[in-house]
Amino acid sequence: MTVKFKEFEHIISEQFRTEEAFLAEYQKGDYSFSNPYVKLNPYLIAPLTALIMFKTPEPTDVTITVKGKETAGDITFEIKTATEHMIPVYGLYADYANQVELVLTNGEKTVVTIQTEAAPDSVKLPSKIETTPEYFGDNMMFVSPTSPASTAAYDYKGDARWYGTLNTAFDIKRVKNGRLLLGTHRLVTPPYHVTGLYEMGMIGKIYKEYRLPSGYHHDQFEMEDGNILILTQDLPRGTVEDMCVLVDRKTGQILKSWDYQKVLPQNVAGSGSHSSHDWFHNNAVWYDKKTNSLTLSGRHQDAIINLDYETGALNWVIGDPQGWPQELVDKYFFTPVGDGEFDWQYEQHACVVLPDGDIFVFDNGHWRSKVKENYVAAKDNFSRGVRYRIDTEKMEIEQVWQYGKERGAEFFSTYICNVEYYAEGHYLVHSGGIGYLNGEPSNRPPVQYTGKDKENTIFNSITVELKDDVVMYEMQIPANYYRAEKLKLYCAEDVLTLGKGELLGTLGVTEEFLTIPPAEEAGLVPQQYNVKIGLEEDRVIFKATFEKGQMVLLQFEGDTTHSYFVPTTKRPFLAMCVGTFLESDDRAVEFPVSREGLTGEFKITLIIDENKYETGVTVQL
């Protein structure tokens, strides 16, 4: 058969099956404190984690110390009282005989040796790290990739002490229950929009997947009541990254949505990366309780906007007013004031509302103008973290702090990046999208380069932590990383819970193509199209290779026939924040069909231009 067909188990189901297997193995043995059960990488996707299990006759606390290569690298955590002990192990080194010490309340001690495998090449090694163990302690700097690399966490020496094997991207946030929220690895549409969010424990177990009909990108925010703001879009209408939704934490149901097309024009004041398809490019969301508002970063408008949480009405805009309609400028834009230096932000990322109402943001500075004739080349440009003070009564704005401008092109990132606020005067500034082409600073996101240009591209990221304007930490890695987040591996709230995770929310019903053109029966689909069909628990994945602009319909024929238009004309992704999902062949097409609304047995066929082909694949949905 010329078509490759495969059924794929969802990672939640695969983890549950694996969990049942290691629990059964544990139950067969007589494991004690001196002879514990050890399972490395118990949930398949976090190779530098393990699980130690044993029983004690009496209830007891357990203190675990994962020994560092030197004493400063020790990671210690106390596990609450129990007789049945499931001790998570975090912070192992790759390709190393790790020593893990366990101590009971009564002082009894045992040491377990856990040998790990070498990390893959996708776990990049820092080229520079400057800090002290006294300052950084047992914190880890997590970075999530955009260029081909793994999500990984590094200690004060630059050793990787955690990494993931799923192709996840965008932000990682620890939420109130101690777990992590991060984007799934299941692509919905190129270049990087995925099905939704995973809620995952540090051990790698996925407890929930929150699915959205048009997918997730870039950022999420946990509300006080636990519900989640998630950035999304409405794919059938032909634009992306211009909506936000509120998702119920327990059910995955969408409770509320905000559509930026209702408050902003889509064809004015665009940044240098603007396109009609990706007119706003929303890359960050922040909820501020004091003002009951959403603050959103729109890279392709060079604008940070603020919306009323209840009504969705526009409150204000931070950005260069050039090119905007005067009636919007007069009503919503700020006027710079103060005696200090002032620069507007351009193609910014990661807006944060500080406790005093200041706006903290990463100003990429890409092109640093809204007028093409005034664009600033990368070699003369800069990126920075910048703090603005705004007065919404007087509509005035003042620049009160910045870092990065003084480093010039060395710190310049055309895309991605973030800032974090820890306390007054204590900040993180992550310039994650640095690139050089033929030795010169790049004017384009370096993940966009192909062919010989790709071979001559150098990637870098610089993560800096400052306290009272003193650099306390700097790490450089030869790769691009969307965001950096400082987290501890152990968190008291992140308690391993056994049982199967949940698929929440919905992928919706895939839009059908209603006009079926006449086509001639042509037998089995030719091998040249390289057709692959994957059956997942909640969708069918169609992959193939077509020439640009070919007319392709994917059909499910059963008691009823369902037809889907497969786009083969590529869009120019001017802001390809993540390159890890893309095929090397630009003719490659990936198209998912949700199983929602499809029940029964279906024969899968293809109409390609004037011919109708059989795939030889029949699925039961």
Side-chain angles (χ1 to χ4, degrees), residues 174-348:
R174 174 167 272 152
V175 286
K176 294 188 197 68
N177 65 10
R179 297 172 184 166
L180 306 175
L181 284 182
L182 67 165
T184 75
H185 69 300
R186 303 201 297 148
L187 189 66
V188 168
T189 189
Y192 46 62
H193 303 102
V194 294
T195 54
L197 289 174
Y198 288 141
E199 182 180 297
M200 183 184 80
M202 191 64 75
I203 203 164
K205 179 168 182 175
I206 295 171
Y207 292 96
K208 296 176 181 179
E209 180 184 344
Y210 294 97
R211 299 170 298 173
L212 296 171
S214 285
Y216 155 84
H217 63 88
H218 284 95
D219 203 10
Q220 62 276 1
F221 187 97
E222 183 186 35
M223 300 289 281
E224 200 172 74
D225 61 4
N227 292 335
I228 311 168
L229 294 169
I230 303 177
L231 298 186
T232 187
Q233 55 258 316
D234 181 6
L235 289 175
R237 75 179 181 183
T239 59
V240 293
E241 302 181 25
D242 53 6
M243 292 183 70
C244 178
V245 292
L246 179 69
V247 169
D248 187 287
R249 188 64 168 275
K250 294 179 180 178
T251 67
Q253 177 185 354
I254 294 175
L255 303 174
K256 189 175 176 64
S257 64
W258 296 265
D259 181 354
Y260 320 146
Q261 290 193 19
K262 294 181 178 179
V263 295
L264 291 176
Q266 290 94 64
N267 57 356
V268 300
S271 78
S273 300
H274 178 274
S275 71
S276 58
H277 174 64
D278 191 5
W279 67 275
F280 188 71
H281 195 88
N282 184 201
N283 56 38
V285 57
W286 190 274
Y287 173 75
D288 181 47
K289 185 178 179 180
K290 287 181 182 178
T291 57
N292 195 29
S293 67
L294 298 182
T295 301
L296 305 143
S297 166
R299 179 181 188 256
H300 290 180
Q301 296 282 348
D302 297 323
I304 302 166
I305 68 170
N306 183 268
L307 304 182
D308 183 275
Y309 178 84
E310 298 299 337
T311 66
L314 185 63
N315 290 326
W316 49 254
V317 178
I318 294 176
D320 184 343
Q322 190 160 14
W324 288 87
Q326 192 60 44
E327 61 269 22
L328 292 182
V329 173
D330 292 342
K331 189 172 182 180
Y332 298 112
F333 281 70
F334 293 92
T335 300
V337 296
D339 298 327
E341 187 178 358
F342 185 91
D343 292 291
W344 289 116
Q345 87 292 342
Y346 295 88
E347 298 201 0
Q348 72 292 319

Side-chain angles (χ1 to χ4, degrees), residues 403-424:
Y403 173 84
K405 183 175 182 178
E406 67 279 14
R407 298 185 66 162
E410 173 203 22
F411 205 66
F412 175 66
S413 288
T414 58
Y415 73 138
I416 58 177
C417 310
N418 72 299
V419 293
E420 295 290 336
Y421 171 89
Y422 300 122
E424 196 57 37

Side-chain angles (χ1 to χ4, degrees), residues 514-575:
L514 301 179
T515 304
I516 312 301
E520 195 169 316
E521 298 284 347
L524 282 175
V525 62
Q527 194 158 354
Q528 72 190 64
Y529 294 117
N530 193 27
V531 174
K532 300 174 185 175
I533 296 172
L535 181 62
E536 297 183 358
E537 292 182 25
D538 55 357
R539 60 184 192 162
V540 178
I541 303 296
F542 171 76
K543 292 186 177 183
T545 303
F546 298 108
E547 296 302 323
K548 296 177 183 178
Q550 280 191 284
M551 200 288 293
V552 178
L553 285 184
L554 175 65
Q555 298 199 130
F556 288 32
E557 298 184 22
D559 291 338
T560 56
T561 295
H562 304 268
S563 298
Y564 307 95
F565 177 75
V566 180
T568 59
T569 301
K570 305 296 182 185
R571 295 184 184 277
F573 296 118
L574 301 179

